[in-house]
Amino acid sequence: MTQEEKQLLIKDLSARLPYGVKFNYGGNDGCDYKAETISLAAINNSFPIEDCKPYLRPMPSMTEEENEEWIKVSDMKFDREGGFFYIYDAHLPFDWLNAHHFDYRGLIEKGLALEAKEGMYKTE
């Protein structure tokens, strides 16, 4: 894993911790963990980031219902004051994608994440 890939994975996984992202450690069956109760420091110390692969959903797996919700959330508001554009709530679309475990950074294609198994993140 390159330093750039490591930094990308740390950045992505850090943003997902509050949403209970699941990850595999070491590529071994039965080594799946839920990261909601651990901090990034624990991952770096107990689970070297190079051996962690989060389970993420490919963007095309978004359902129609999720797509409608995404459209509502990603409607950013702009306000022009004094020649500057201010973006209000610009973080909301990314928070939503993280909460729904979507791979918007292409980590699956880069081999840095695994495709989530169907139903892995059901909350019912």
Side-chain angles (χ1 to χ4, degrees):
M1 177 180 290
T2 67
Q3 187 64 27
E4 184 177 292
E5 289 172 330
K6 184 177 178 178
Q7 290 301 313
L8 178 62
L9 188 55
I10 289 170
K11 185 185 305 184
D12 189 82
L13 194 52
S14 295
R16 295 177 188 279
L17 288 176
Y19 303 106
V21 66
K22 297 176 184 177
F23 67 95
N24 177 272
Y25 177 71
N28 300 314
D29 286 339
C31 287
D32 294 338
Y33 298 90
K34 190 170 182 179
E36 71 180 348
T37 59
I38 58 176
S39 67
L40 185 59
I43 290 175
N44 279 329
N45 293 328
S46 302
F47 301 99
I49 198 73
E50 296 89 346
D51 295 328
C52 296
K53 288 193 177 182
Y55 286 103
L56 302 177
R57 297 175 57 197
M59 291 298 289
S61 72
M62 189 180 294
T63 65
E64 284 298 319
E65 183 179 277
E66 287 172 324
N67 188 48
E68 289 174 17
E69 189 176 341
W70 161 251
I71 289 169
K72 289 176 187 173
V73 170
S74 62
D75 182 29
M76 291 185 257
K77 296 161 183 66
F78 298 93
D79 185 20
R80 185 176 177 89
E81 290 184 15
F84 294 95
F85 283 99
Y86 295 94
I87 302 173
Y88 297 100
D89 298 328
H91 66 288
L92 291 178
F94 299 103
D95 289 348
W96 188 92
L97 289 169
N98 286 334
H100 290 83
H101 311 287
F102 283 107
D103 177 22
Y104 58 90
R105 296 180 196 263
L107 298 180
I108 296 171
E109 292 174 3
K110 292 176 177 138
L112 300 174
L114 301 170
E115 187 170 333
K117 300 165 190 145
E118 189 169 333
M120 178 176 261
Y121 288 111
K122 292 262 188 222
T123 56
E124 299 167 10

